[in-house]
Amino acid sequence: MDIVIIGGGLAGYQTAKEIRRTDRHVRLLLISSDSADFYSKPMLSNALASKKTPESLVIKKAHEMAAELDIEILPHSPVEAIFPEKKEISLGNRSIGYSKLVLALGADPIRLPVEGEVLSVNDLSDYARFREALAGKKRVALLGAGLVGCEFANDLLAGGFDVDVFDIASQPLGRLVPAECGEWIRANLKGVNWHFGANAMRFENGMLHLSDGNALPFDVVLSAAGLKPRTGLAMNAGMACGRGIMVDRFLETSSRDVYAIGDCMEIEGLVQPFVMPIMHASKALASNLLGNRVALRFPAMPVVVKTPLSPTVVSPPRPGSKGAWHAEAEEGGVKSVFLDEGGKILGFCLCGKYVSEKNSLSRALPDLL
Ligand SMILES: Cc1cc2nc3c(=O)[nH]c(=O)nc-3n(C[C@H](O)[C@H](O)[C@H](O)COP(=O)(O)OP(=O)(O)OC[C@H]3O[C@@H](n4cnc5c(N)ncnc54)[C@H](O)[C@@H]3O)c2cc1C
């Protein structure tokens, strides 16, 4: 096979689409451990209130994608090993050769050390389990007040559930936004019972036990504690991995002719588990796979937080940037910009009425990469 892509998520499919924009003939095989049905993963955290079923989130079935892109697809086929020196991958019962290999493996939810049945939602089957668990239930505990945790909180509230959010941090979106914006989000997600500085230990007999000795009753506990890039396959094959599978500016891993993209990838210390980085990276990757070397560039890529109760857009500065947040607040919103010592803007968080400034402020930001 000419190009083999492992992963049937956005990164895998977007790479195939970009290849087909310029080349209709190269032979493409996409292999996925799941159904490889194409769906919009960001919808998982705002689908409950609108009563979306897992089936209705599917945009196109795998066989429709295969026909549209003129590619071969192997669904329900976990790849077990990569042998870069032989240019082969193993599916257990069979081996497949490749000229170029793309790892679009995604990321796993971080499992908190909480005993008992704690759910997480990172794909369609998780979403199906979550919906089943919620049927006829009322009280939901969410572990994690990050971006996805806040989105689920908003969606659950809109769906009529009682929502408590627990986080060891002292504010929502603690790793992304300054205190003023965190406070605005907290105040505007009205109806959420927040528990900051709280550490959940165990969910047992309908009670969530905290490290301070308190226990509260819940029907369902959902963890939204972040993601961990899937590096196992690459590490076992000897590829360099940090937090993610490390690639150079041409998206190539430390193994020749093996590339990585999407939530599993790390580039120059950056792991960017969002849609826009995939849209940019897939263009550069397709060129490189087809022999035209293009270095990846990331512009600033603000993320719109899907919390209609507390509209927020965030473009955090590159980790480790020197500078400080400067906030201004008025009735109806908060705006905070991250400025370096020379007064240059490196990031922002816009809440409420200030979200309308997203495009103008984005233009002022430096490239991320
Ligand atoms: C609830 C939620 C809400 C989100 N909201 C937003 C948002 O609002 N905005 C935004 O920009 N981003 C959002 N994101 C992030 C965004 O959805 C992801 O960055 C993106 O979908 C990741 O795509 P991916 O293809 O890299 O990974 P995935 O979609 O996880 O795909 C990985 C694929 O690899 C396959 N795979 C893994 N291992 C193997 C193996 N060994 N063999 C074969 N196949 C394998 C899997 O089956 C899967 O098909 C959200 C994420 C979540 C979970």
Side-chain angles (χ1 to χ4, degrees):
M1 186 54 68
D2 296 339
I3 300 175
V4 174
I5 298 172
I6 312 178
L10 181 68
Y13 274 123
Q14 199 57 33
T15 302
K17 279 185 195 169
E18 290 295 341
I19 291 170
R20 280 293 179 248
R21 265 189 228 284
T22 40
D23 191 316
R24 297 300 307 173
H25 303 294
V26 67
R27 287 180 310 149
L28 270 175
L29 169 67
L30 184 144
I31 305 174
S32 197
S33 45
D34 60 14
S35 67
D37 290 341
F38 184 64
Y39 72 104
S40 162
K41 185 176 279 206
M43 289 286 292
L44 294 177
S45 52
N46 64 353
L48 275 170
S50 49
K51 304 210 175 344
K52 292 248 172 17
T53 61
E55 296 74 29
S56 70
L57 288 178
V58 172
I59 299 166
K60 277 185 188 150
K61 303 289 266 183
H63 66 88
E64 296 172 295
M65 293 301 286
E68 180 178 308
L69 294 168
D70 190 17
I71 62 177
E72 195 182 326
I73 296 182
L74 288 182
H76 305 295
S77 305
V79 173
E80 293 183 359
I82 304 169
F83 303 102
E85 66 290 350
K86 288 197 280 179
K87 291 198 151 187
E88 255 179 39
I89 55 175
S90 165
L91 276 68
N93 55 356
R94 66 185 273 210
S95 295
I96 296 174
Y98 62 81
S99 293
K100 296 195 192 282
L101 179 67
V102 176
L103 308 179
L105 304 168
D108 284 315
I110 291 173
R111 304 260 169 232
L112 295 170
V114 179
E115 291 170 38
E117 198 192 351
V118 175
L119 302 175
S120 56
V121 176
N122 187 40
D123 58 31
L124 280 177
S125 44
D126 292 342
Y127 177 67
R129 270 189 292 279
F130 185 45
R131 265 176 56 97
E132 262 167 42
L134 287 174
K137 301 287 168 42
K138 188 74 181 158
R139 297 162 305 179
V140 183
L142 258 165
L143 310 183
L147 195 137
V148 170
C150 286
E151 293 182 349
F152 274 114
N154 196 140
D155 199 35
L156 285 159
L157 279 180
F161 294 91
D162 294 341
V163 184
D164 285 49
V165 177
F166 297 82
D167 203 307
I168 49 171
S170 57
Q171 64 164 79
L173 272 66
R175 270 183 283 168
L176 295 175
V177 309
E180 293 83 354
C181 296
E183 174 51 28
W184 194 89
I185 295 164
R186 189 198 64 71
N188 282 275
L189 274 172
K190 286 193 179 68
V192 173
N193 300 309
W194 300 97
H195 305 263
F196 290 111
N199 194 6
M201 306 290 286
R202 196 168 77 251
F203 181 47
E204 190 178 57
N205 300 327
M207 298 297 285
L208 184 66
H209 296 262
L210 307 177
S211 58
D212 64 7
N214 284 324
L216 292 164
F218 292 102
D219 300 313
V220 175
V221 179
L222 178 72
S223 168
L227 295 171
K228 191 179 169 307
R230 292 190 177 116
T231 53
L233 261 187
M235 268 207 295
N236 291 341
M239 289 168 223
C241 294
R243 274 190 302 145
I245 303 169
M246 291 161 90
V247 297
D248 62 17
R249 283 279 186 132
F250 303 95
L251 287 307
E252 198 167 15
T253 67
S254 62
S255 283
R256 210 178 141 78
D257 293 325
V258 183
Y259 298 76
I261 182 168
D263 284 10
C264 68
M265 169 193 106
E266 175 180 331
I267 183 162
E268 297 187 5
L270 291 173
V271 175
Q272 293 285 302
F274 299 108
V275 168
M276 283 314 291
I278 292 174
M279 305 316 271
H280 288 282
S282 57
K283 288 188 172 57
L285 177 55
S287 282
N288 288 312
L289 289 166
L290 296 173
N292 306 314
R293 274 170 79 75
V294 171
L296 176 62
R297 183 191 143 248
F298 276 154
M301 295 171 285
V303 177
V304 176
V305 188
K306 302 188 296 296
T307 45
L309 288 173
S310 62
T312 303
V313 184
V314 57
S315 189
R318 229 192 120 104
S321 298
K322 289 206 169 36
W325 287 100
H326 301 266
E328 62 182 83
E330 269 184 23
E331 184 68 33
V334 183
K335 163 181 167 180
S336 192
V337 291
F338 189 94
L339 303 177
D340 71 7
E341 284 139 5
K344 200 166 156 332
I345 180 169
L346 301 182
F348 62 72
C349 176
L350 306 171
C351 300
K353 67 176 189 180
Y354 289 105
V355 297
S356 61
E357 293 184 30
K358 173 183 153 227
N359 290 344
S360 57
L361 278 182
S362 297
R363 281 194 286 275
L365 291 175
D367 283 355
L368 197 57
L369 190 72

